[in-house]
Amino acid sequence: MNKVILMGRLTRDPDVRYSAGESSTAVARYTLAVDRRFRRNNDGEQTADFIGCVAFGRSAEFAEKYLRQGLKVVVTGRIQTGSYTNRDGQKVYTTDVVVEDQEFAESKAASEPHMNSGYQGGYQAAPAPAPSAPAGDGFMNIPDGIDEELPFN
């Protein structure tokens, strides 16, 4: 079984290109910085692995539209290896995670400090109204002035 689950932050915005031909397909490439579970250095500094990911089709279009540098995401997919010969005639071996699913790992507000967007403000929800005090029987009192009929008998 070839199954990979990663959680990390994008090192930069996804690079999205479209294949040539009649039915062009979106191809998105991005790198995730994934923290290692254990600290490697004596000074306790966290180390990370930088893992290349590639998404195709609708997943690539999603990445282009919503994923940005610094955003924390969870990616599931499979490892794919390959090779090619570069311009100097040297054989280069590649290892990528082919994305099958990608999800946000934190809220947009939580990711704001990590992102390099121009918007630095945060969203603050309005406080919830205080509930009415329950009557002695444990049920909430119905406020006066309701002209509508209650939805139950």
Side-chain angles (χ1 to χ4, degrees):
M1 177 184 287
N2 185 353
K3 185 78 167 179
V4 176
I5 302 171
L6 301 171
M7 181 169 61
R9 294 191 184 278
L10 272 77
T11 60
R12 63 175 188 267
D13 291 353
D15 177 29
V16 181
R17 299 180 185 193
Y18 289 85
S19 64
E22 225 174 89
S23 58
S24 66
T25 302
V27 180
R29 291 188 174 276
Y30 54 88
T31 302
L32 286 182
V34 179
D35 287 334
R36 291 189 180 170
R37 188 174 202 162
F38 302 104
R39 305 205 187 296
R40 186 161 147 191
N41 305 355
N42 292 337
D43 59 2
E45 186 177 313
Q46 184 76 37
T47 57
D49 292 305
F50 297 89
I51 301 171
C53 300
V54 60
F56 297 96
R58 295 188 74 111
S59 292
E61 292 168 3
F62 177 87
E64 179 178 35
K65 189 171 183 179
Y66 297 109
L67 302 187
R68 295 288 172 256
Q69 179 180 352
L71 186 68
K72 192 174 196 177
V73 294
V74 174
V75 171
T76 58
R78 59 185 169 80
I79 291 181
Q80 180 172 295
T81 59
S83 64
Y84 64 93
T85 304
N86 67 11
R87 293 178 185 164
D88 299 330
Q90 297 172 329
K91 193 163 193 171
V92 178
Y93 295 94
T94 62
T95 302
D96 289 310
V97 172
V98 177
V99 176
E100 294 169 357
D101 188 37
Q102 52 199 353
E103 300 176 20
F104 299 110
E106 63 187 358
S107 68
K108 185 174 182 178
S111 69
E112 281 299 323
H114 301 285
M115 302 192 55
N116 292 333
S117 66
Y119 175 72
Q120 294 299 323
Y123 171 77
Q124 185 164 350
S132 301
D137 58 1
F139 290 96
M140 193 165 92
N141 290 326
I142 298 172
D144 293 334
I146 294 182
D147 298 326
E148 302 168 17
E149 197 173 301
L150 295 176
F152 51 86
N153 293 333

